[in-house]
Amino acid sequence: MTITQLEYILAVEKHRNFVQAADSCCVTQPTLSMQIQKLEDELGIKVFDRSRQPVVTTQIGLEILQQARLTISEFYKIKDTVNAGKHEISGEIRLGIIPTLAPYLLPLFLMEYLKKYPSIELKIKELTTDRIIHGLKNDDLDLGLVATPLQQPNLVEHPIFYEELVLYVSKENAIYKKKYAISEDINPKELWLLEEGHCLRSQIENLCELKRKSIGRNQFEYQAGSLETLRKMVERNQGITILPELATMDFDEERLNLIRKFKSPAPKREISLVAHKNFAKSGILKTLKTSILEALPEQVRNNKDTNVLSL
């Protein structure tokens, strides 16, 4: 049994196809199939049912794959230990980040981080929280930048900062005349929301107790895919939305005039780096956390962990 064979069966599990798995491992399909066959012969079991398309993992194969993931993780810890001893920060990191954070946080630290650590290769995807959780559990991602707490078994959360949520209101909205607002001031019929699947939507629903309120039938319902769309809907079509603090950092004076804060203690979302419990590259995780903190605007960096919204 070899590490290479374990990597091959993990690739097949991921792609559910021997040809695609071989391509991802940069080997020919016969080579990959032969090595997996040798492994199955040695163990005396079948990891995959090849008679079905896409390929299906057998029941015993599921247990083998789970152990293979642990073995591979422990194997790469050897390299990480050596790199740590040499004070080297290097390697590939597959990072998932939620869309309500990516356009506002990545520009703050990304280029400086890559310049400081040229031996790190970052592969970043914008994904919803559910897809990031799935990717971390299935070894499609190494780290996630998400709103927490997730309370997911086998995932470890490393909180970085706390981002205040603010109201963005049209001049025709009653809240515009207020200096501070409370959640009870929000009329659900006037609230623009992200589409289902965004963690920020879930937090706003909890904040405003929308699921408990009967808001009746609206003539028009629209669920946006981005915060920029919500902002423009408020500016051009009245109403109100709720934005995270970083999304307002480059606002001009006219847009800043449409922001209203919640009465203290203001609601916040906790932003964390999340990894599988078997994640081995702790050095890279620490450098990312430090770089993000250093790049944050001071007012965000100094926010306290009070009134954190649940998901």
Side-chain angles (χ1 to χ4, degrees):
M1 188 188 308
T2 67
I3 292 294
T4 299
Q5 289 170 337
L6 298 183
E7 290 176 331
Y8 286 174
I9 62 173
L10 289 174
V12 172
E13 180 201 28
K14 177 179 180 179
H15 295 282
R16 301 292 178 183
N17 181 284
F18 276 72
V19 174
Q20 293 176 15
D23 287 342
S24 71
C25 295
C26 299
V27 297
T28 64
Q29 186 268 326
T31 297
L32 179 133
S33 296
M34 179 183 66
Q35 288 298 324
I36 293 178
Q37 185 64 56
K38 283 185 177 181
L39 176 63
E40 291 177 325
D41 290 345
E42 179 180 345
L43 297 176
I45 55 95
K46 290 294 182 183
V47 178
F48 301 109
D49 180 355
R50 296 164 174 77
S51 66
R52 300 169 65 180
Q53 293 296 329
V55 173
V56 175
T57 308
T58 63
Q59 190 60 45
I60 188 64
L62 291 173
E63 298 181 37
I64 299 301
L65 285 162
Q66 182 178 1
Q67 191 60 47
R69 276 189 288 271
L70 293 173
T71 301
I72 293 295
S73 176
E74 293 298 318
F75 171 74
Y76 280 108
K77 281 183 180 179
I78 297 173
K79 293 183 178 179
D80 294 325
T81 300
V82 173
N83 288 337
K86 295 179 178 179
H87 303 290
E88 293 180 357
I89 302 296
S90 63
E92 177 186 290
I93 288 293
R94 300 161 299 171
L95 175 68
I97 182 170
I98 53 176
T100 57
L101 185 63
Y104 315 110
L105 181 61
L106 290 179
L108 296 180
F109 81 94
L110 184 58
M111 291 299 102
E112 185 64 28
Y113 180 79
L114 295 176
K115 181 179 178 181
K116 187 175 182 179
Y117 301 102
S119 296
I120 290 180
E121 182 182 355
L122 269 180
K123 295 185 176 180
I124 302 175
K125 291 184 179 180
E126 284 191 32
L127 301 167
T128 60
T129 299
D130 285 345
R131 292 183 65 188
I132 290 175
I133 291 172
H134 184 270
L136 292 171
K137 289 184 174 181
N138 290 275
D139 196 34
D140 293 322
L141 293 172
D142 300 302
L143 293 171
L145 264 171
V146 297
T148 51
L150 301 176
Q151 298 177 334
Q152 288 286 327
N154 298 324
L155 297 185
V156 181
E157 300 171 10
H158 304 268
I160 307 175
F161 64 95
Y162 299 88
E163 188 177 17
E164 186 175 328
L165 300 184
V166 299
L167 297 158
Y168 194 65
V169 301
S170 67
K171 293 181 179 179
E172 291 78 12
N173 193 278
I175 296 178
Y176 180 78
K177 299 178 181 179
K178 293 177 174 283
K179 185 175 181 180
Y180 296 99
I182 58 177
S183 59
E184 286 78 8
D185 292 331
I186 299 172
N187 182 347
K189 291 185 177 181
E190 299 174 342
L191 183 62
W192 297 103
L193 289 171
L194 290 168
E195 62 189 355
E196 294 282 357
H198 290 272
C199 58
L200 183 59
R201 178 191 173 99
S202 299
Q203 290 175 310
I204 291 172
E205 287 177 337
N206 290 332
L207 172 65
C208 302
E209 297 184 328
L210 295 185
K211 293 180 180 179
R212 300 181 189 179
K213 296 179 180 178
S214 176
I215 62 175
R217 182 178 178 182
N218 290 332
Q219 181 183 9
F220 172 67
E221 181 177 333
Y222 179 77
Q223 295 182 5
S226 75
L227 294 178
E228 295 305 299
T229 302
L230 295 181
R231 176 180 62 75
K232 290 179 180 179
M233 294 298 281
V234 168
E235 293 169 357
R236 300 179 185 181
N237 299 281
Q238 303 184 16
I240 181 173
T241 193
I242 297 176
L243 300 175
E245 198 171 4
L246 285 178
T248 68
M249 287 298 162
D250 61 351
F251 276 14
D252 57 25
E253 186 174 350
E254 182 179 355
R255 286 174 178 159
L256 287 173
N257 190 43
L258 299 181
I259 291 176
R260 293 295 180 271
K261 291 198 170 189
F262 284 96
K263 188 176 181 180
S264 182
K268 301 182 186 73
R269 65 173 183 172
E270 179 183 75
I271 300 298
S272 302
L273 274 167
V274 180
H276 194 274
K277 67 178 183 179
N278 297 320
F279 180 69
K281 299 178 180 179
S282 58
I284 292 180
L285 190 150
K286 290 177 182 177
T287 62
L288 272 171
K289 184 174 180 178
T290 299
S291 294
I292 291 170
L293 271 173
E294 290 176 347
L296 287 173
E298 185 176 2
Q299 68 185 74
V300 178
R301 187 168 58 246
N302 291 337
N303 283 339
K304 307 299 182 184
D305 58 344
T306 55
N307 202 19
V308 174
L309 295 176
S310 59
L311 296 174

